[in-house]
Amino acid sequence: MSARVLVVDDIPANVKLLEAKLGAEYFDVITATNGIDALAICERGEADIVLLDVMMPGMNGFEVCRRLKHSATTAHIPVVIVTALDQPSDRLKGLDAGADDFLTKPIDDTALFARVRSLVRLKSVTDELRQRALASRQLGIADPLAAAAAETGLNGRVLLIEDRPLIAERLTQALSAFHSIETETDAQAALARAAEGDFEIVLVSLDLQNYDGLRLCSQLRSLERTRNLSVLLLGEAEDKSRVLRGLEIGAHDFLVRPIDRNELLARARTLVRRKRFAERLRDSVQSSMEMAVMDQLTGLHNRRYLDSRLSALFDESALRARALSLLVLDVDRFKVVNDSWGHDAGDEVLREFADRIRACTRGIDLVARMGGEEIVVVLPDTALEAARAVAERIRERVEGEAFQIQRGQRAITVTVSIGVASRRAGDAGPVEMMKRADEAVYRAKAAGRNRVIVASAA
């Protein structure tokens, strides 16, 4: 997988070296010699991943990383800090700034390429979600990127898979100060728990006595119910080749023993933050999709969805020679409700009206708000007489019990007029059927309201 890699270093020789190595692996390399230029490049969306030196004049790498990770525009870009600093405190400082990894010079080429490819894969998963989430702003949803960038990564739900009791106890003690952690010693049982539980991170030991930790990692990444979990591998220093193999399989991060407590906490927090970032984007996309087809007041489908779905149901009915009926419902004297009790009361009536209609219809029926106080119910596989029975049931349900308004302080009587029509053999499309149902509603209104009128079947 190729990617645009931004190399940030103020020493030309270092830049040239990384540029040559990454270019040989077919990465597209862009460069910057200071933090200001690096931030500008990232703000313009020109980088897929950043390799960032720490020791730079003006603004050091830790500050650049911190600014990238606290900006809604750039928080999703993976950052690998590349430096000659090799103390645990330096590594921790980089992770606390939000870095996704920390590589020490001289850089091992295999580790570099494995880490870059792994992080680019993770970024590609969120990029499309990001674009769709951005569109949700136009629908009035709170900015999902700002909310995601503000995530702390604390109070994560962690599953530790380790069959050595002493090691498991030490890791649990370290993590439990900031996260909720559960331990499992059996790999197969752990796989089931991961699928059934509500975990955010899974820590997998590569040294399990009776199971291959890499195979377990592969299974976690391949199963639908666990593939979105963040996987952190724990291995020995001599397990380097297996750790890198784990990154290729799909693990998100790794630690080698002896494990520094602070680094463990920092990496866990980064993984939790990254997972929640993706979840917020998915939730935003789901919300925007629902807003595109749902009426926000009643929770019913909206006119847009009705128009597209009704055409499909009509065509299917004609193709299979199956019955299809349609009800148009209009609340009687709804303007009087608004004028007498206010629009808030009118909204309460419409929400309850929608609930009563839902209670009288099936899961396969399409119930949509056309606008105002008018609702349409489409009844697949339902002939005219059966549709009239449904309409009558709804009418009785609406009339039979007073509607609560003003938060239960008052109750008013509400009735509904309903027009019923079915598909005819000569209908070219659903428009004719809808027109007959509309005309039937007008006749019901003219005849005194609170009644069902059925359009002629012929």
Side-chain angles (χ1 to χ4, degrees):
M1 174 182 290
S2 186
R4 296 166 299 177
V5 182
L6 171 60
V7 176
V8 188
D9 197 316
D10 63 323
I11 300 177
N14 293 342
V15 173
K16 291 295 183 183
L17 180 61
L18 279 174
E19 192 173 13
K21 289 182 176 181
L22 292 164
E25 293 294 315
Y26 303 103
F27 290 106
D28 183 12
V29 181
I30 51 181
T31 65
T33 58
N34 59 74
I36 297 298
D37 290 346
L39 290 172
I41 290 169
C42 292
E43 287 284 348
R44 294 195 297 268
E46 297 175 3
D48 292 313
I49 186 170
V50 180
L51 300 185
L52 180 62
D53 186 43
V54 171
M55 307 302 292
M56 294 187 297
M59 184 187 303
N60 67 32
F62 296 137
E63 180 60 24
V64 174
C65 181
R66 189 173 293 108
R67 293 194 186 190
L68 287 172
K69 291 301 182 178
H70 283 80
S71 167
T73 308
T74 58
H76 66 292
I77 302 175
V79 177
V80 178
I81 290 183
V82 182
T83 179
L85 301 175
D86 60 357
Q87 295 301 308
S89 59
D90 298 319
R91 184 183 298 269
L92 181 61
K93 190 181 295 184
L95 294 171
D96 281 341
D100 296 270
D101 206 351
F102 194 105
L103 296 179
T104 304
K105 299 175 183 177
I107 299 172
D108 179 278
D109 292 355
T110 304
L112 170 65
F113 300 144
R115 172 47 79 193
V116 169
R117 291 191 179 99
S118 173
L119 289 172
V120 167
R121 280 196 300 270
L122 291 175
K123 180 177 179 290
S124 68
V125 171
T126 61
D127 274 351
E128 185 173 353
L129 288 174
R130 262 188 91 252
Q131 293 303 316
R132 294 182 180 182
L134 284 170
S136 67
R137 292 173 176 172
Q138 300 175 3
L139 298 174
I141 298 176
D143 187 347
L145 301 184
E151 174 58 52
T152 64
L154 298 177
N155 300 312
R157 301 177 298 276
V158 182
L159 176 63
L160 169 63
I161 306 172
E162 173 61 79
D163 55 11
R164 291 169 292 182
L166 291 178
I167 294 177
E169 183 180 356
R170 285 199 298 269
L171 292 172
T172 299
Q173 288 177 348
L175 287 165
S176 59
F178 299 99
H179 303 284
S180 172
I181 181 166
E182 298 181 25
T183 303
E184 180 57 64
T185 59
D186 180 83
Q188 290 299 330
L191 193 61
R193 286 180 67 178
E196 296 168 3
D198 187 26
F199 298 105
E200 294 174 298
I201 309 178
V202 180
L203 276 63
V204 179
S205 173
L206 289 178
D207 305 306
L208 298 173
Q209 295 179 6
N210 298 311
Y211 205 82
D212 183 349
L214 286 182
R215 183 170 298 280
L216 180 57
C217 173
S218 174
Q219 290 172 320
L220 287 168
R221 299 296 294 144
S222 62
L223 294 177
E224 182 176 357
R225 296 184 65 180
T226 58
R227 65 178 45 149
N228 289 326
L229 294 176
S230 294
V231 178
L232 175 62
L233 296 180
L234 307 174
E236 302 293 340
E238 57 269 23
D239 283 338
K240 176 181 173 182
S241 61
R242 297 187 69 217
V243 167
L244 297 180
R245 178 62 174 152
L247 291 179
E248 293 177 3
I249 289 172
H252 299 80
D253 206 347
F254 66 90
L255 280 169
V256 295
R257 298 185 175 92
I259 294 173
D260 179 80
R261 176 184 181 276
N262 291 326
E263 184 174 352
L264 170 64
L265 290 172
R267 290 189 183 274
R269 189 168 66 249
T270 296
L271 289 178
V272 170
R273 187 167 55 236
R274 187 188 296 158
K275 185 176 188 304
R276 290 176 181 172
F277 183 95
E279 286 177 346
R280 283 182 181 271
L281 294 186
R282 290 190 184 94
D283 290 345
S284 174
V285 171
Q286 181 65 31
S287 296
S288 63
M289 290 174 62
E290 290 176 356
M291 289 185 72
V293 299
M294 302 296 288
D295 174 64
Q296 298 305 298
L297 175 64
T298 62
L300 302 176
H301 289 294
N302 60 17
R303 175 70 178 267
R304 177 189 298 175
Y305 184 82
L306 172 67
D307 288 344
S308 61
R309 184 63 183 143
L310 178 56
S311 295
L313 289 172
F314 183 92
D315 292 343
E316 183 178 357
S317 169
L319 179 66
R320 299 180 181 276
R322 306 288 292 271
L324 178 70
S325 295
L326 181 146
L327 315 180
V328 174
L329 305 90
D330 197 292
V331 178
D332 294 328
R333 297 186 174 90
F334 185 70
K335 186 176 184 299
V336 175
V337 175
N338 280 331
D339 291 345
S340 301
W341 308 107
H343 288 280
D344 287 345
D347 289 347
E348 290 178 292
V349 168
L350 286 177
R351 281 192 288 266
E352 178 61 23
F353 182 48
D355 289 342
R356 297 190 190 190
I357 294 172
R358 270 191 290 256
C360 297
T361 52
R362 307 165 297 178
I364 65 170
D365 299 331
L366 169 58
V367 185
R369 184 184 180 195
M370 283 281 287
E373 66 274 23
E374 190 174 70
I375 289 176
V376 172
V377 180
V378 184
L379 305 166
D381 297 324
T382 305
L384 195 61
E385 280 305 307
R388 182 169 74 163
V390 173
E392 190 61 39
R393 187 162 65 245
I394 293 173
R395 188 198 65 77
E396 292 174 355
R397 183 72 176 261
V398 171
E399 180 190 30
E401 183 179 349
F403 281 59
Q404 301 295 314
I405 62 171
Q406 297 179 350
R407 299 183 178 181
Q409 298 300 308
R410 293 181 180 274
I412 60 174
T413 299
V414 176
T415 61
V416 60
S417 297
I418 306 176
V420 185
S422 289
R423 183 183 64 83
R424 294 177 181 175
D427 287 344
V431 174
E432 291 93 336
M433 182 172 60
M434 179 73 78
K435 183 178 180 181
R436 291 195 298 273
D438 274 332
E439 291 171 348
V441 171
Y442 295 143
R443 295 205 304 272
K445 296 281 190 183
R449 300 181 175 83
N450 189 27
R451 66 193 62 219
V452 175
I453 296 292
V454 179
S456 171

